[in-house]
Amino acid sequence: MSTFEQTGYRQPTPVRAVRPGSDGEHMVQERMGTADRADKFYDEQVLDRLNPRMREFVARQEMFFLATADRHGECDNTFRAGPPGFLHVLDDRTLAYPEYRGNGVHASLGNIEENAHVGLLMMDFLRDRIGLHVNGRARIVPDDTMRGAHPGLPYDPVPGRRALVWVEVAVEEAYIHCAKHIPHLQKVDRTGGGRAWGTDDYRRKGGDFFGSAADATDRGPYLPPPRADAAAWRAEAEKVLERAEQRAATEAEEREFHGWFRRNVTA
């Protein structure tokens, strides 16, 4: 018996309520003989919030990679960039970033409408050569609503570059990406070589760098549905999104998230 128990006190001990990770990764860990190593990583590195060092790390990042999937599990991975702090830390459990006009496809936003689960990966190639994973649930928030709730949010300094909407992410997992294979990069002088933020110039956006447009003739013409069916298509799309929202609400009720750890305190 410990001294704490002998004196009538027991030191608060974190007890895992849910093992982080998917059933699939747990099966692979058993198959590969790495379950003990994985549990050590879960115990020491996986948090359900952003600690102070993580918040400082996020606040100085100028880019991150975003993973989303639609309701069928079809995945998309993309890149977001901006001035330091464009990925805003609202509190230790919430992040938010602005979405701009882009190419008009809005693949990530479309996926989030159907499936709120997102994965963010921040990589510091310049200073610490370390990465931070943040997984969570996202929702799309209009710009005026976000600024009403958080009046201190800055405006982008680039003329004409304004957020159409914001993506707010409720943090469920935050953990390190090891430095072992992260290359050490250096910034170049931006004088005369800066990117044309917000431009619609075809060539300055990259043009047909990969020759996709040249190959388009081999695919045949794209025949979109007749415009006369737009109302019917919109009605069906709204039904699909409504079902996705109902499924997400049911899932949230059944698996309400309370973090990976709970405190078991016994006097």
Side-chain angles (χ1 to χ4, degrees), residues 187-199:
K187 278 189 175 183
V188 299
D189 186 356
R190 296 183 63 180
T191 304
R195 292 295 185 182
W197 290 108
T199 184

Side-chain angles (χ1 to χ4, degrees), residues 222-239:
Y222 169 62
L223 299 176
R227 291 292 182 183
D229 293 335
W233 175 88
R234 181 180 294 277
E236 182 60 28
E238 289 177 349
K239 289 180 182 178

Side-chain angles (χ1 to χ4, degrees), residues 46-114:
V46 180
L47 301 180
D48 61 354
R49 66 194 185 284
L50 301 170
N51 68 18
R53 294 195 68 175
M54 290 175 175
R55 296 198 295 272
E56 184 275 329
F57 182 87
V58 172
R60 58 183 171 82
Q61 297 310 302
E62 299 179 51
M63 61 181 180
F64 68 90
F65 301 93
L66 172 68
T68 60
D70 65 17
R71 68 186 186 280
H72 302 296
E74 298 291 339
C75 300
D76 186 78
N77 189 272
T78 191
F79 172 78
R80 292 290 182 267
F86 83 105
L87 177 59
H88 298 273
V89 180
L90 301 181
D91 56 52
D92 65 350
R93 296 181 186 271
T94 317
L95 297 174
Y97 65 90
E99 281 281 1
Y100 301 104
R101 183 174 55 165
N103 59 13
V105 175
H106 300 308
S108 299
L109 292 179
N111 285 347
I112 290 170
E113 286 281 4
E114 297 187 14

Side-chain angles (χ1 to χ4, degrees), residues 198-207:
T199 184
D200 276 327
D201 184 275
Y202 180 72
R203 292 185 179 277
R204 300 182 78 185
K205 288 168 65 176

